[in-house]
Amino acid sequence: MASNADRLSDRASYEKNLTPANLNERRRAALQEIDNAPFSWFHVKVCLVAGVGFFTDAYDIFAINIAVTMLGYVYGKNAALTPWQSTGLKAATPVGNLVGQLVFGWLADVLGRKRMYGIELMIMIIATFAQAVSGEAPAISIVGVLIVWRFLMGIGIGGDYPLSAIITSEFAATRSRGRLMTAVFAAQGWGQLAAALVALVVVSAYKEAILAGPFPSALPIDHAWRLLIGLGCVPGVVALYFRLTIPETPRFTMDVERNVAQASQDIENVLTIGKHVEAEDAVVERAKAPRATRADFVAYFSKWENSKVLVGTAYSWFALDIAFYGLGLNSSIILSAIKFGGSTAKKGTTLNVYESLHNICIGNIILSVAGLIPGYWVSFLFIDTWGRKPIQLMGFTALTILFVIMGFAYDKLVATTSGTNVFVFLYCLTNFFQNFGPNTTTFIVPGEAFPTRYRSTAHGISAAAGKLGAVVAQLGFGQLVNIGGTNKFVKHIMEIFAFFMLTGIFSTLLIPETKQKSLEDLSNEDQAEYITDS
């Protein structure tokens, strides 16, 4: 055991070496250790823990696409919800997302990634379960109750976006960062597919009860939508423990808490045992480095080379989500409008109810398997070689062309069976190029292109802009789709989507290419003299 005098002498000698030059050198060496780290089990763990969250997010968001039809049979007049009720249920979650992305994005930069990670998942779990056991009373309708719970669920889902993106990017090695972030985000596709599969299983399980009537078989369908929604909290419960125990990112410890010694030690521990270990007698270094203040935020983003990146990431996400959620949350309406897979049974019969629900599920499975999931994984293959910006430009360009064809040729396409099949093929292609394109890259780039002290905040702002687009899409779709007759405005909605995809091409020109670059080099700040004092 060293004496107190020896410890004081060692500390005094140690502190003499705490010069800005030495600290900057140690900081860069520590960060390069992360950037050059070989792929390990810890990276797999981060990917799985974050990915389960996105699986849950997508399941919870897109299950309502099918559940709305079920709710219409149970609680709607004439076996359908009103346009405003349907819009409210679909828009409540994106509105909550917007709030959660802004709030959790900011809190993760202020309090730390670890402290906030898991809280947003708890909100999702509670709000999802609450939807499944909701009821109505004389003073309130169940649609109103569900809208409130879906808004709260949306806050939790919104918080997951910046937290999962930032934690993944800050732990990833430079050469594989894009693939790791894409793998996390690609869990969305499996979540959407799972929602459709669970709906199909539930509807099939209640087939006999639905057919037994009476029309519209309210009791079995009431069971069905509750199971569909409620099962969405199961993967969240599984992932909760791992989220609460994930270590803080060394970049946050180093650049926000300004504790270089602890961050250096964390890097060694994380890359070997995957845990944060805090030594009782460790020297705490509070280096003098840029701090996140209102004045510093204004100073950083008042420079065009920085603000243009935020404008580019935010607007690109806004434009993309106009179409992504406009299609994703209304695919059942579009499939019905083009009479793809509809029921051949007489309307007003229990057989029509069953076939309609069954075919909606099948249609959503086809869309997921044929377009959504392949798009994510093609992005995974090319994201770190081709790059983010080329993929986003290509995606927006392809989507512009596809929506122009689907909109302006709509009447001719849906006039015949073969034309309808072509329309569905084009629809699958839009899903493919959304994910092998801007839906993936708009998630990745804002998680890379900003300094650590603002990375989560900027990602939250960008993601919130996207959810603003989703809200606009839902309000617009719900109120426009029936202009001129039931589902008669679908072709013009496709044309509107084409316009926004075109604008996304121009906003993409504002973002940098981030492949194979360290997060520090992308921040547009001098790294050689980042720490100015000890």
Side-chain angles (χ1 to χ4, degrees):
M1 294 288 292
S3 67
N4 287 336
D6 290 337
R7 287 180 179 174
L8 290 172
S9 176
D10 291 343
R11 181 172 184 118
S13 175
Y14 180 83
E15 289 179 344
K16 286 182 181 180
N17 293 320
L18 295 183
T19 63
N22 287 341
L23 288 174
N24 276 304
E25 185 178 345
R26 288 180 58 196
R27 174 177 176 271
R28 288 299 294 169
L31 292 174
Q32 285 176 3
E33 193 170 348
I34 298 178
D35 290 339
N36 298 324
F39 191 74
S40 66
W41 167 246
F42 178 75
H43 292 111
V44 175
K45 178 183 175 181
V46 169
C47 185
L48 290 174
V49 172
V52 169
F54 270 94
F55 176 94
T56 307
D57 296 349
Y59 182 102
D60 291 340
I61 290 174
F62 292 100
I64 199 65
N65 177 33
I66 301 170
V68 159
T69 303
M70 297 178 176
L71 286 163
Y73 286 125
V74 181
Y75 300 103
K77 294 181 179 179
N78 300 319
L81 298 180
T82 68
W84 275 114
Q85 287 176 322
S86 177
T87 299
L89 286 169
K90 293 175 182 178
T93 302
V95 172
N97 292 163
L98 192 155
V99 175
Q101 285 156 348
L102 291 174
V103 172
F104 278 89
W106 172 67
L107 287 175
D109 277 340
V110 174
L111 301 177
R113 287 73 161 121
K114 174 180 172 58
R115 289 179 183 174
M116 303 313 300
Y117 211 37
I119 294 177
E120 86 292 359
L121 197 57
M122 293 181 197
I123 296 172
M124 289 163 53
I125 293 168
I126 294 170
T128 301
F129 182 76
Q131 291 174 66
V133 295
S134 293
E136 65 177 1
I140 188 169
S141 75
I142 191 168
V143 173
V145 174
L146 290 175
I147 287 173
V148 172
W149 282 118
R150 289 194 68 78
F151 170 77
L152 293 174
M153 182 188 75
I155 292 177
I157 292 173
D160 200 33
Y161 274 71
L163 282 165
S164 290
I166 301 312
I167 286 174
T168 304
S169 71
E170 291 184 351
F171 276 125
T174 301
R175 65 182 175 277
S176 59
R177 188 175 61 235
R179 291 194 297 276
L180 202 62
M181 294 180 75
T182 301
V184 168
F185 196 59
Q188 270 196 342
W190 298 113
Q192 286 179 256
L193 176 61
L197 287 172
V198 169
L200 178 63
V201 170
V202 170
V203 169
S204 299
Y206 282 99
K207 178 179 179 179
E208 296 303 324
I210 293 172
L211 293 176
F215 177 84
S217 307
L219 183 60
I221 296 176
D222 198 42
H223 288 162
W225 78 259
R226 292 177 188 278
L227 280 170
L228 171 61
I229 296 293
L231 287 171
C233 67
V234 173
V237 171
V238 173
L240 184 58
Y241 168 77
F242 298 99
R243 291 214 166 183
L244 294 174
T245 57
I246 204 163
E248 182 58 86
T249 70
R251 281 184 161 94
F252 180 85
T253 303
M254 186 177 298
D255 288 354
V256 179
E257 293 184 335
R258 294 166 293 122
N259 190 344
V260 179
Q262 182 64 58
S264 299
Q265 182 177 331
D266 283 349
I267 291 169
E268 293 183 17
N269 292 330
V270 164
L271 295 178
T272 53
I273 62 175
K275 294 181 180 179
H276 165 89
V277 178
E278 190 165 351
E280 295 181 2
D281 58 350
V283 178
V284 177
E285 302 170 3
R286 298 297 181 191
K288 187 175 181 181
R291 300 188 65 177
T293 63
R294 184 176 301 177
D296 182 72
F297 183 89
V298 171
Y300 180 82
F301 285 103
S302 63
K303 298 177 181 178
W304 174 240
E305 64 264 29
N306 300 327
S307 60
K308 74 174 184 178
V309 178
L310 185 57
V311 171
T313 57
Y315 184 83
S316 295
W317 210 331
F318 171 84
L320 179 276
D321 274 4
I322 290 279
F324 184 75
Y325 283 89
L327 292 179
L329 292 179
N330 297 289
S331 57
S332 299
I333 293 176
I334 295 172
L335 291 172
S336 174
I338 63 175
K339 298 179 175 58
F340 180 80
S343 173
T344 57
K346 182 181 178 181
K347 286 188 178 182
T349 65
T350 55
L351 180 59
N352 179 270
V353 172
Y354 171 74
E355 287 187 353
S356 295
L357 291 174
H358 180 272
N359 292 340
I360 285 172
C361 298
I362 295 295
N364 279 275
I365 291 171
I366 291 171
L367 294 178
S368 294
V369 174
L372 286 168
I373 293 174
Y376 285 117
W377 293 103
V378 174
S379 282
F380 177 85
L381 293 175
F382 290 99
I383 197 74
D384 281 320
T385 52
W386 193 3
R388 288 64 154 157
K389 194 169 182 176
I391 289 176
Q392 186 162 312
L393 281 170
M394 177 274 301
F396 272 129
T397 302
L399 289 169
T400 302
I401 295 169
L402 287 168
F403 281 122
V404 165
I405 296 171
M406 292 168 69
F408 288 97
Y410 179 85
D411 290 332
K412 290 184 178 180
L413 287 173
V414 301
T416 63
T417 301
S418 59
T420 299
N421 292 335
V422 171
F423 185 91
V424 172
F425 173 72
L426 295 174
Y427 195 163
C428 291
L429 280 182
T430 63
N431 287 332
F432 176 80
F433 281 109
Q434 281 174 337
N435 293 329
F436 180 36
N439 190 40
T440 299
T441 54
T442 52
F443 171 78
I444 292 174
V445 174
E448 301 175 307
F450 302 99
T452 301
R453 64 189 184 279
Y454 298 128
R455 188 169 294 126
S456 184
T457 301
H459 193 284
I461 292 171
S462 301
K467 292 308 166 286
L468 178 61
V471 173
V472 170
Q474 282 313 115
L475 293 175
F477 197 107
Q479 302 312 306
L480 295 175
V481 68
N482 292 323
I483 291 178
T486 303
N487 299 331
K488 293 295 184 181
F489 205 76
V490 168
K491 63 179 179 180
H492 299 302
I493 290 176
M494 297 297 165
E495 294 162 6
I496 292 171
F497 289 166
F499 168 76
F500 280 102
M501 297 305 97
L502 180 63
T503 63
I505 294 173
F506 296 101
S507 63
T508 300
L509 300 177
L510 297 175
I511 67 172
E513 177 51 65
T514 59
K515 71 168 184 176
Q516 306 303 324
K517 295 180 181 179
S518 74
L519 297 180
E520 286 63 43
D521 291 339
L522 290 166
S523 69
N524 285 329
E525 292 187 315
D526 182 11
Q527 299 300 308
E529 298 181 3
Y530 187 82
I531 296 174
T532 57
D533 202 354
S534 61

